[in-house]
Short mmCIF file of all heavy atoms in Angstrom, two decimals:
data_model
loop_
_atom_site.label_atom_id
_atom_site.label_comp_id
_atom_site.label_asym_id
_atom_site.label_seq_id
_atom_site.Cartn_x
_atom_site.Cartn_y
_atom_site.Cartn_z
N SER A 126 -6.11 25.18 -17.51
CA SER A 126 -5.57 26.39 -16.89
C SER A 126 -5.80 26.37 -15.38
O SER A 126 -4.91 26.75 -14.60
CB SER A 126 -6.24 27.63 -17.49
OG SER A 126 -5.95 27.73 -18.87
N GLN A 127 -6.97 25.89 -14.98
CA GLN A 127 -7.26 25.81 -13.55
C GLN A 127 -6.38 24.76 -12.88
O GLN A 127 -5.91 24.96 -11.76
CB GLN A 127 -8.74 25.48 -13.34
CG GLN A 127 -9.66 26.64 -13.68
CD GLN A 127 -11.14 26.30 -13.54
OE1 GLN A 127 -11.53 25.15 -13.73
NE2 GLN A 127 -11.95 27.28 -13.24
N GLN A 128 -6.13 23.65 -13.56
CA GLN A 128 -5.25 22.64 -13.00
C GLN A 128 -3.84 23.19 -12.82
O GLN A 128 -3.22 22.99 -11.77
CB GLN A 128 -5.20 21.39 -13.90
CG GLN A 128 -4.34 20.28 -13.31
CD GLN A 128 -4.08 19.15 -14.28
OE1 GLN A 128 -4.21 19.32 -15.49
NE2 GLN A 128 -3.72 17.98 -13.77
N PHE A 129 -3.35 23.90 -13.84
CA PHE A 129 -2.01 24.48 -13.74
C PHE A 129 -1.92 25.44 -12.56
O PHE A 129 -0.93 25.44 -11.82
CB PHE A 129 -1.64 25.19 -15.04
CG PHE A 129 -0.28 25.83 -15.01
CD1 PHE A 129 0.85 25.06 -15.21
CD2 PHE A 129 -0.13 27.19 -14.74
CE1 PHE A 129 2.12 25.63 -15.16
CE2 PHE A 129 1.13 27.76 -14.70
CZ PHE A 129 2.25 26.99 -14.90
N SER A 130 -2.95 26.25 -12.38
CA SER A 130 -2.93 27.24 -11.30
C SER A 130 -3.04 26.60 -9.92
O SER A 130 -2.72 27.23 -8.92
CB SER A 130 -4.05 28.27 -11.48
OG SER A 130 -5.32 27.65 -11.34
N CYS A 131 -3.46 25.32 -9.88
CA CYS A 131 -3.57 24.62 -8.61
C CYS A 131 -2.20 24.29 -8.01
O CYS A 131 -2.06 24.19 -6.79
CB CYS A 131 -4.34 23.31 -8.77
SG CYS A 131 -6.13 23.48 -8.89
N TYR A 132 -1.21 24.08 -8.86
CA TYR A 132 0.06 23.53 -8.41
C TYR A 132 1.11 24.60 -8.19
O TYR A 132 1.11 25.64 -8.83
CB TYR A 132 0.57 22.50 -9.42
CG TYR A 132 -0.24 21.23 -9.41
CD1 TYR A 132 -1.40 21.12 -10.17
CD2 TYR A 132 0.10 20.17 -8.60
CE1 TYR A 132 -2.18 19.98 -10.13
CE2 TYR A 132 -0.66 19.01 -8.55
CZ TYR A 132 -1.80 18.93 -9.33
OH TYR A 132 -2.57 17.80 -9.28
N GLN A 133 2.03 24.31 -7.27
CA GLN A 133 3.16 25.19 -7.07
C GLN A 133 3.98 25.24 -8.36
O GLN A 133 4.37 24.18 -8.87
CB GLN A 133 4.03 24.67 -5.92
CG GLN A 133 3.30 24.46 -4.60
CD GLN A 133 2.94 25.76 -3.91
OE1 GLN A 133 3.32 26.83 -4.38
NE2 GLN A 133 2.21 25.69 -2.81
N PRO A 134 4.25 26.41 -8.91
CA PRO A 134 4.93 26.48 -10.20
C PRO A 134 6.38 26.00 -10.16
O PRO A 134 7.00 25.82 -11.20
CB PRO A 134 4.86 27.97 -10.56
CG PRO A 134 4.67 28.67 -9.26
CD PRO A 134 3.89 27.74 -8.40
N THR A 135 6.92 25.76 -8.95
CA THR A 135 8.30 25.26 -8.87
C THR A 135 8.38 23.76 -9.13
O THR A 135 9.47 23.23 -9.35
CB THR A 135 8.88 25.57 -7.48
OG1 THR A 135 7.99 25.07 -6.48
CG2 THR A 135 9.06 27.06 -7.29
N LEU A 136 7.26 23.06 -9.10
CA LEU A 136 7.27 21.62 -9.32
C LEU A 136 7.64 21.29 -10.76
O LEU A 136 7.14 21.90 -11.69
CB LEU A 136 5.89 21.02 -9.03
CG LEU A 136 5.49 20.89 -7.56
CD1 LEU A 136 4.07 20.39 -7.47
CD2 LEU A 136 6.43 19.97 -6.82
N ARG A 137 8.49 20.31 -10.95
CA ARG A 137 8.95 19.93 -12.29
C ARG A 137 7.80 19.51 -13.19
O ARG A 137 7.81 19.77 -14.40
CB ARG A 137 9.98 18.80 -12.17
CG ARG A 137 10.63 18.41 -13.49
CD ARG A 137 11.44 19.57 -14.05
NE ARG A 137 12.21 19.24 -15.24
CZ ARG A 137 11.73 19.22 -16.48
NH1 ARG A 137 10.47 19.52 -16.69
NH2 ARG A 137 12.51 18.93 -17.50
N SER A 138 6.79 18.87 -12.62
CA SER A 138 5.68 18.35 -13.42
C SER A 138 4.85 19.47 -14.04
O SER A 138 4.14 19.25 -15.03
CB SER A 138 4.77 17.47 -12.58
OG SER A 138 4.20 18.21 -11.52
N THR A 139 4.92 20.67 -13.48
CA THR A 139 4.10 21.75 -14.03
C THR A 139 4.59 22.16 -15.41
O THR A 139 3.88 22.86 -16.14
CB THR A 139 4.07 22.97 -13.08
OG1 THR A 139 5.40 23.31 -12.68
CG2 THR A 139 3.23 22.69 -11.85
N TYR A 140 5.80 21.73 -15.78
CA TYR A 140 6.27 21.96 -17.15
C TYR A 140 5.29 21.35 -18.14
O TYR A 140 4.84 22.01 -19.08
CB TYR A 140 7.66 21.36 -17.37
CG TYR A 140 8.09 21.33 -18.82
CD1 TYR A 140 8.69 22.43 -19.41
CD2 TYR A 140 7.85 20.21 -19.62
CE1 TYR A 140 9.05 22.42 -20.75
CE2 TYR A 140 8.20 20.19 -20.96
CZ TYR A 140 8.81 21.29 -21.52
OH TYR A 140 9.15 21.28 -22.85
N GLN A 141 4.93 20.07 -17.93
CA GLN A 141 4.02 19.40 -18.85
C GLN A 141 2.62 20.00 -18.78
O GLN A 141 1.92 20.10 -19.80
CB GLN A 141 3.95 17.90 -18.56
CG GLN A 141 3.15 17.09 -19.57
CD GLN A 141 3.71 17.21 -20.97
OE1 GLN A 141 4.92 17.09 -21.17
NE2 GLN A 141 2.84 17.46 -21.95
N LEU A 142 2.21 20.41 -17.59
CA LEU A 142 0.89 21.06 -17.46
C LEU A 142 0.87 22.35 -18.28
O LEU A 142 -0.14 22.65 -18.94
CB LEU A 142 0.58 21.36 -15.99
CG LEU A 142 0.59 20.17 -15.01
CD1 LEU A 142 0.08 20.62 -13.64
CD2 LEU A 142 -0.24 19.00 -15.51
N LEU A 143 1.96 23.11 -18.23
CA LEU A 143 2.04 24.35 -19.01
C LEU A 143 2.01 24.06 -20.51
O LEU A 143 1.33 24.74 -21.28
CB LEU A 143 3.30 25.12 -18.65
CG LEU A 143 3.57 26.40 -19.45
CD1 LEU A 143 2.44 27.41 -19.26
CD2 LEU A 143 4.91 27.02 -19.06
N VAL A 144 2.75 23.04 -20.94
CA VAL A 144 2.75 22.64 -22.35
C VAL A 144 1.32 22.38 -22.82
O VAL A 144 0.89 22.84 -23.88
CB VAL A 144 3.63 21.39 -22.57
CG1 VAL A 144 3.35 20.76 -23.94
CG2 VAL A 144 5.10 21.75 -22.46
N ASN A 145 0.55 21.66 -22.00
CA ASN A 145 -0.82 21.32 -22.39
C ASN A 145 -1.74 22.53 -22.39
O ASN A 145 -2.62 22.65 -23.25
CB ASN A 145 -1.35 20.23 -21.45
CG ASN A 145 -0.67 18.89 -21.67
OD1 ASN A 145 -0.07 18.65 -22.72
ND2 ASN A 145 -0.74 18.01 -20.69
N VAL A 146 -1.53 23.44 -21.45
CA VAL A 146 -2.30 24.69 -21.45
C VAL A 146 -2.05 25.44 -22.77
O VAL A 146 -2.99 25.90 -23.42
CB VAL A 146 -1.91 25.58 -20.25
CG1 VAL A 146 -2.48 27.00 -20.42
CG2 VAL A 146 -2.44 24.98 -18.96
N LEU A 147 -0.79 25.54 -23.15
CA LEU A 147 -0.44 26.27 -24.37
C LEU A 147 -1.02 25.60 -25.61
O LEU A 147 -1.47 26.28 -26.54
CB LEU A 147 1.08 26.40 -24.49
CG LEU A 147 1.76 27.27 -23.43
CD1 LEU A 147 3.29 27.19 -23.56
CD2 LEU A 147 1.31 28.71 -23.54
N LYS A 148 -1.01 24.28 -25.64
CA LYS A 148 -1.58 23.55 -26.79
C LYS A 148 -3.06 23.89 -26.96
O LYS A 148 -3.54 24.07 -28.09
CB LYS A 148 -1.40 22.05 -26.60
CG LYS A 148 0.02 21.55 -26.82
CD LYS A 148 0.12 20.05 -26.61
CE LYS A 148 1.54 19.54 -26.87
NZ LYS A 148 1.66 18.09 -26.63
N LEU A 149 -3.79 23.99 -25.84
CA LEU A 149 -5.22 24.31 -25.94
C LEU A 149 -5.44 25.77 -26.33
O LEU A 149 -6.40 26.09 -27.03
CB LEU A 149 -5.91 24.00 -24.61
CG LEU A 149 -6.64 22.65 -24.52
CD1 LEU A 149 -7.82 22.59 -25.47
CD2 LEU A 149 -5.70 21.49 -24.80
N VAL A 150 -4.55 26.67 -25.89
CA VAL A 150 -4.66 28.07 -26.33
C VAL A 150 -4.47 28.15 -27.84
O VAL A 150 -5.20 28.86 -28.55
CB VAL A 150 -3.61 28.95 -25.61
CG1 VAL A 150 -3.62 30.37 -26.20
CG2 VAL A 150 -3.89 29.01 -24.12
N VAL A 151 -3.51 27.38 -28.37
CA VAL A 151 -3.28 27.35 -29.81
C VAL A 151 -4.52 26.81 -30.53
O VAL A 151 -4.94 27.35 -31.56
CB VAL A 151 -2.05 26.48 -30.14
CG1 VAL A 151 -1.90 26.30 -31.65
CG2 VAL A 151 -0.78 27.11 -29.57
N GLN A 152 -5.12 25.76 -29.98
CA GLN A 152 -6.30 25.16 -30.62
C GLN A 152 -7.51 26.07 -30.59
O GLN A 152 -8.24 26.17 -31.57
CB GLN A 152 -6.64 23.83 -29.93
CG GLN A 152 -5.85 22.63 -30.42
CD GLN A 152 -6.42 21.35 -29.83
OE1 GLN A 152 -6.07 20.94 -28.73
NE2 GLN A 152 -7.30 20.72 -30.57
N THR A 153 -7.73 26.72 -29.45
CA THR A 153 -8.96 27.50 -29.27
C THR A 153 -8.82 28.95 -29.71
O THR A 153 -9.81 29.62 -29.99
CB THR A 153 -9.40 27.49 -27.79
OG1 THR A 153 -8.37 28.10 -26.98
CG2 THR A 153 -9.64 26.07 -27.30
N GLY A 154 -7.58 29.46 -29.73
CA GLY A 154 -7.40 30.88 -30.01
C GLY A 154 -7.95 31.75 -28.90
O GLY A 154 -8.30 32.91 -29.12
N GLN A 155 -8.01 31.19 -27.69
CA GLN A 155 -8.57 31.93 -26.55
C GLN A 155 -7.64 31.82 -25.35
O GLN A 155 -7.00 30.78 -25.14
CB GLN A 155 -9.94 31.37 -26.16
CG GLN A 155 -11.00 31.52 -27.24
CD GLN A 155 -12.32 30.90 -26.83
OE1 GLN A 155 -12.48 30.38 -25.73
NE2 GLN A 155 -13.29 30.92 -27.74
#
Side-chain angles (χ1 to χ4, degrees):
S126 297
Q127 289 177 330
Q128 183 190 21
F129 179 80
S130 66
C131 283
Y132 289 86
Q133 304 287 356
T135 53
L136 286 176
R137 185 63 174 83
S138 62
T139 49
Y140 169 86
Q141 187 59 46
L142 303 188
L143 176 61
V144 165
N145 290 340
V146 167
L147 293 174
K148 285 180 178 178
L149 262 295
V150 173
V151 173
Q152 277 189 274
T153 61
Q155 297 177 2

